[in-house]
Amino acid sequence: QVQLVESGGGAVQAGRSLRLSCAASGFSFSSSDMHWVRQPPGKGLEWVAVISFDGSNKYYADSVKGRFTSFRDNSENTLHLQMDSLRTDDTGVYYCAKESGSHFLDYWGRGTLVTVSS
Amino acid sequence: VLTQSPATLSLSPGEGASLSCRASQRVSRYLAWYQQKPGQAPRLLIFDSSKRATGIPARFSGSGSGTDFTLTISSLEPEDFAIYYCQQRSNWPPEYSFGQGTKLEIK
Protein backbone atom coordinates (compact mmCIF):
# COMPACT_ATOMS: atom_id res chain seq x y z
CA GLN A 1 0.00 0.00 0.00
CA VAL A 2 1.02 3.62 -0.41
CA GLN A 3 3.25 4.91 2.36
CA LEU A 4 4.73 8.34 2.85
CA VAL A 5 6.98 8.87 5.84
CA GLU A 6 8.34 12.30 6.66
CA SER A 7 11.44 12.92 8.73
CA GLY A 8 13.86 15.69 9.59
CA GLY A 9 11.65 17.93 11.64
CA GLY A 10 12.78 19.47 14.90
CA ALA A 11 13.47 22.67 16.77
CA VAL A 12 15.63 25.33 15.15
CA GLN A 13 16.35 29.00 15.64
CA ALA A 14 15.12 31.63 13.24
CA GLY A 15 17.50 32.24 10.37
CA ARG A 16 18.82 28.68 10.37
CA SER A 17 18.18 25.84 7.94
CA LEU A 18 16.49 22.47 8.06
CA ARG A 19 16.00 19.71 5.52
CA LEU A 20 12.92 17.53 5.52
CA SER A 21 12.68 14.19 3.77
CA CYS A 22 9.79 12.02 2.70
CA ALA A 23 10.32 8.32 1.98
CA ALA A 24 7.76 6.94 -0.47
CA SER A 25 6.72 3.37 -1.19
CA GLY A 26 3.85 1.37 -2.63
CA PHE A 27 3.38 3.40 -5.82
CA SER A 28 5.28 4.62 -8.84
CA PHE A 29 7.12 7.51 -7.20
CA SER A 30 8.99 8.48 -10.36
CA SER A 31 5.65 8.98 -12.16
CA SER A 32 4.04 11.15 -9.49
CA ASP A 33 4.07 14.86 -8.80
CA MET A 34 4.66 15.44 -5.10
CA HIS A 35 3.68 18.20 -2.70
CA TRP A 36 4.56 19.72 0.63
CA VAL A 37 1.70 21.09 2.73
CA ARG A 38 2.09 22.60 6.19
CA GLN A 39 -0.18 23.31 9.12
CA PRO A 40 0.68 25.81 11.84
CA PRO A 41 -0.40 24.76 15.33
CA GLY A 42 -4.17 25.04 15.66
CA LYS A 43 -4.59 26.47 12.17
CA GLY A 44 -5.57 25.32 8.71
CA LEU A 45 -3.69 23.76 5.84
CA GLU A 46 -1.27 25.80 3.74
CA TRP A 47 0.13 24.54 0.47
CA VAL A 48 3.91 24.97 0.30
CA ALA A 49 5.35 23.45 -2.88
CA VAL A 50 4.90 21.02 -5.74
CA ILE A 51 7.58 19.24 -7.74
CA SER A 52 6.91 17.44 -10.98
CA PHE A 53 7.50 13.72 -11.38
CA ASP A 54 10.94 14.22 -12.93
CA GLY A 55 11.96 17.20 -10.82
CA SER A 56 12.06 19.54 -13.79
CA ASN A 57 9.24 21.83 -12.63
CA LYS A 58 8.81 23.29 -9.18
CA TYR A 59 6.32 25.81 -7.86
CA TYR A 60 6.15 27.41 -4.46
CA ALA A 61 3.79 29.43 -2.30
CA ASP A 62 4.73 33.09 -2.15
CA SER A 63 5.39 32.75 1.59
CA VAL A 64 8.34 30.39 0.99
CA LYS A 65 9.54 31.40 -2.46
CA GLY A 66 13.28 32.05 -2.47
CA ARG A 67 13.78 30.35 0.91
CA PHE A 68 12.56 26.78 0.37
CA THR A 69 13.67 24.35 -2.31
CA SER A 70 12.01 21.07 -3.12
CA PHE A 71 13.97 18.31 -4.83
CA ARG A 72 13.70 14.59 -5.27
CA ASP A 73 15.74 11.45 -5.79
CA ASN A 74 13.73 9.05 -7.90
CA SER A 75 16.39 6.36 -7.55
CA GLU A 76 15.80 6.42 -3.79
CA ASN A 77 12.03 7.18 -3.88
CA THR A 78 12.67 10.17 -1.69
CA LEU A 79 11.37 13.73 -1.65
CA HIS A 80 13.17 16.55 0.12
CA LEU A 81 12.41 20.08 1.25
CA GLN A 82 15.40 22.32 1.96
CA MET A 83 14.26 25.14 4.21
CA ASP A 84 16.62 28.10 4.57
CA SER A 85 16.26 31.43 6.38
CA LEU A 86 13.60 29.95 8.60
CA ARG A 87 11.15 32.27 10.32
CA THR A 88 8.97 31.77 13.36
CA ASP A 89 5.88 31.66 11.15
CA ASP A 90 7.30 28.59 9.39
CA THR A 91 6.45 26.61 12.52
CA GLY A 92 4.04 23.77 11.94
CA VAL A 93 3.53 20.19 10.87
CA TYR A 94 4.86 19.54 7.38
CA TYR A 95 3.15 16.88 5.30
CA CYS A 96 4.30 15.36 2.05
CA ALA A 97 1.51 14.28 -0.25
CA LYS A 98 1.14 12.51 -3.56
CA GLU A 99 -0.77 14.18 -6.35
CA SER A 100 -3.26 12.28 -8.45
CA GLY A 101 -3.71 13.03 -12.10
CA SER A 102 -6.39 15.64 -11.43
CA HIS A 103 -4.57 18.03 -9.12
CA PHE A 104 -5.78 16.65 -5.83
CA LEU A 105 -3.75 14.97 -3.12
CA ASP A 106 -4.75 11.37 -2.70
CA TYR A 107 -2.19 10.17 -0.16
CA TRP A 108 -0.58 11.98 2.73
CA GLY A 109 2.17 11.21 5.19
CA ARG A 110 1.67 11.60 8.93
CA GLY A 111 3.76 14.77 9.00
CA THR A 112 6.84 16.04 10.79
CA LEU A 113 6.85 18.95 13.22
CA VAL A 114 9.08 21.96 12.63
CA THR A 115 9.43 24.49 15.43
CA VAL A 116 11.23 27.74 14.73
CA SER A 117 12.05 29.89 17.73
CA SER A 118 13.30 33.43 17.95
CA VAL B 1 -8.99 32.35 -2.73
CA LEU B 2 -11.35 29.75 -1.33
CA THR B 3 -13.79 30.80 1.38
CA GLN B 4 -15.54 28.12 3.42
CA SER B 5 -18.71 28.59 5.41
CA PRO B 6 -19.75 28.27 8.07
CA ALA B 7 -16.56 28.32 10.12
CA THR B 8 -18.22 26.02 12.65
CA LEU B 9 -21.28 23.83 12.24
CA SER B 10 -22.92 22.27 15.30
CA LEU B 11 -25.15 19.30 14.54
CA SER B 12 -26.30 16.03 16.08
CA PRO B 13 -25.64 12.52 14.81
CA GLY B 14 -28.26 11.52 12.27
CA GLU B 15 -28.71 15.06 10.97
CA GLY B 16 -27.61 16.18 7.52
CA ALA B 17 -24.76 18.63 6.94
CA SER B 18 -24.07 21.06 4.13
CA LEU B 19 -20.65 22.73 3.90
CA SER B 20 -19.93 25.50 1.43
CA CYS B 21 -16.76 26.44 -0.46
CA ARG B 22 -16.79 29.58 -2.58
CA ALA B 23 -13.99 30.59 -4.95
CA SER B 24 -13.11 34.19 -5.66
CA GLN B 25 -12.69 33.31 -9.34
CA ARG B 26 -14.19 30.63 -11.47
CA VAL B 27 -12.30 27.41 -10.94
CA SER B 28 -12.03 24.29 -13.00
CA ARG B 29 -13.72 21.08 -11.96
CA TYR B 30 -10.57 20.26 -10.00
CA LEU B 31 -12.02 20.93 -6.59
CA ALA B 32 -11.41 18.48 -3.77
CA TRP B 33 -12.59 18.02 -0.20
CA TYR B 34 -10.57 16.61 2.69
CA GLN B 35 -11.44 15.52 6.21
CA GLN B 36 -9.00 15.99 9.07
CA LYS B 37 -9.34 14.64 12.59
CA PRO B 38 -7.19 15.82 15.52
CA GLY B 39 -3.63 14.54 15.33
CA GLN B 40 -4.16 12.98 11.92
CA ALA B 41 -3.23 13.82 8.36
CA PRO B 42 -5.97 15.02 6.02
CA ARG B 43 -7.89 12.35 4.15
CA LEU B 44 -9.24 12.80 0.65
CA LEU B 45 -13.02 12.57 0.48
CA ILE B 46 -14.12 14.07 -2.83
CA PHE B 47 -12.25 14.94 -6.03
CA ASP B 48 -13.26 16.52 -9.33
CA SER B 49 -16.04 18.28 -7.36
CA SER B 50 -18.28 15.23 -7.04
CA LYS B 51 -16.37 11.95 -7.19
CA ARG B 52 -15.91 9.99 -3.98
CA ALA B 53 -12.43 8.74 -3.20
CA THR B 54 -11.81 5.07 -2.62
CA GLY B 55 -13.47 3.80 0.53
CA ILE B 56 -15.48 6.92 1.26
CA PRO B 57 -19.05 6.13 2.38
CA ALA B 58 -21.94 7.05 0.13
CA ARG B 59 -23.30 9.50 2.71
CA PHE B 60 -20.61 11.92 1.53
CA SER B 61 -21.34 13.74 -1.71
CA GLY B 62 -19.97 16.76 -3.52
CA SER B 63 -21.60 19.15 -5.94
CA GLY B 64 -21.11 22.50 -7.61
CA SER B 65 -19.28 24.22 -10.41
CA GLY B 66 -17.86 27.59 -11.31
CA THR B 67 -17.39 29.38 -8.02
CA ASP B 68 -19.77 27.57 -5.64
CA PHE B 69 -19.22 24.09 -4.29
CA THR B 70 -20.89 22.05 -1.57
CA LEU B 71 -19.97 19.03 0.49
CA THR B 72 -23.04 17.22 1.80
CA ILE B 73 -23.14 14.55 4.48
CA SER B 74 -26.54 12.94 4.37
CA SER B 75 -26.77 11.51 7.90
CA LEU B 76 -23.98 12.25 10.32
CA GLU B 77 -22.16 9.42 12.03
CA PRO B 78 -20.13 10.04 15.21
CA GLU B 79 -16.89 9.61 13.28
CA ASP B 80 -17.80 12.43 10.86
CA PHE B 81 -17.19 15.18 13.39
CA ALA B 82 -13.95 16.71 12.16
CA ILE B 83 -12.60 19.64 10.17
CA TYR B 84 -13.26 19.78 6.43
CA TYR B 85 -11.18 21.61 3.85
CA CYS B 86 -11.75 22.34 0.20
CA GLN B 87 -8.81 22.66 -2.21
CA GLN B 88 -8.28 23.79 -5.76
CA ARG B 89 -5.48 24.48 -8.22
CA SER B 90 -5.16 27.64 -10.27
CA ASN B 91 -4.51 27.21 -13.97
CA TRP B 92 -1.33 29.25 -14.23
CA PRO B 93 0.95 29.41 -12.44
CA PRO B 94 -0.01 26.08 -10.97
CA GLU B 95 -0.56 27.10 -7.37
CA TYR B 96 -2.71 25.16 -4.98
CA SER B 97 -4.82 26.54 -2.20
CA PHE B 98 -7.03 25.38 0.63
CA GLY B 99 -10.05 26.94 2.21
CA GLN B 100 -9.73 27.92 5.85
CA GLY B 101 -11.79 24.91 6.95
CA THR B 102 -15.18 24.18 8.47
CA LYS B 103 -15.25 22.55 11.88
CA LEU B 104 -18.12 20.12 12.22
CA GLU B 105 -18.82 19.64 15.91
CA ILE B 106 -21.29 17.62 17.93
CA LYS B 107 -24.22 19.63 19.23
Side-chain angles (χ1 to χ4, degrees):
Chain A
Q1 72 278 23
V2 173
Q3 277 202 311
L4 297 168
V5 180
E6 301 92 340
S7 61
V12 64
Q13 286 190 316
R16 304 297 291 267
S17 299
L18 205 58
R19 179 178 294 184
L20 306 182
S21 299
C22 173
S25 61
F27 67 101
S28 178
F29 180 74
S30 60
S31 300
S32 301
D33 293 356
M34 297 293 296
H35 292 252
W36 290 99
V37 176
R38 69 184 181 184
Q39 186 167 35
K43 297 190 177 181
L45 302 171
E46 179 188 12
W47 175 76
V48 173
V50 59
I51 182 170
S52 61
F53 66 98
D54 60 357
S56 62
N57 293 296
K58 307 173 188 182
Y59 301 95
Y60 301 92
D62 287 343
S63 58
V64 307
K65 207 171 289 183
R67 300 187 300 121
F68 289 12
T69 303
S70 182
F71 59 102
R72 63 193 295 163
D73 184 342
N74 284 349
S75 66
E76 296 286 337
N77 285 359
T78 305
L79 174 71
H80 302 282
L81 184 68
Q82 177 66 37
M83 305 187 295
D84 298 324
S85 303
L86 281 161
R87 309 189 305 216
T88 55
D89 61 357
D90 293 320
T91 293
V93 175
Y94 283 71
Y95 298 100
C96 69
K98 169 185 169 294
E99 179 173 323
S100 74
S102 295
H103 312 306
F104 56 88
L105 309 182
D106 53 357
Y107 291 96
W108 298 63
R110 299 183 69 175
T112 187
L113 176 62
V114 173
T115 304
V116 184
S117 63
S118 56
Chain B
V1 176
L2 296 176
T3 302
Q4 293 186 240
S5 62
T8 303
L9 187 56
S10 300
L11 294 170
S12 301
E15 291 189 290
S18 182
L19 286 65
S20 172
C21 177
R22 178 163 292 178
S24 58
Q25 299 179 9
R26 184 179 177 86
V27 302
S28 67
R29 63 184 173 86
Y30 300 128
L31 188 111
W33 291 92
Y34 302 85
Q35 177 194 68
Q36 188 180 33
K37 297 180 180 180
Q40 296 185 17
R43 177 175 73 147
L44 176 69
L45 296 177
I46 300 288
F47 64 94
D48 289 357
S49 305
S50 62
K51 299 176 182 177
R52 276 191 303 276
T54 303
I56 301 303
R59 64 180 181 274
F60 290 90
S61 63
S63 63
S65 63
T67 59
D68 290 305
F69 300 85
T70 301
L71 174 69
T72 301
I73 311 172
S74 59
S75 178
L76 288 164
E77 297 287 341
E79 62 267 26
D80 298 337
F81 293 91
I83 300 176
Y84 293 83
Y85 297 93
C86 57
Q87 173 256 317
Q88 62 99 24
R89 193 204 84 155
S90 62
N91 284 332
W92 191 262
E95 295 179 348
Y96 297 70
S97 61
F98 292 90
Q100 82 279 19
T102 289
K103 182 179 181 180
L104 181 55
E105 64 177 23
I106 299 178
K107 188 174 181 179

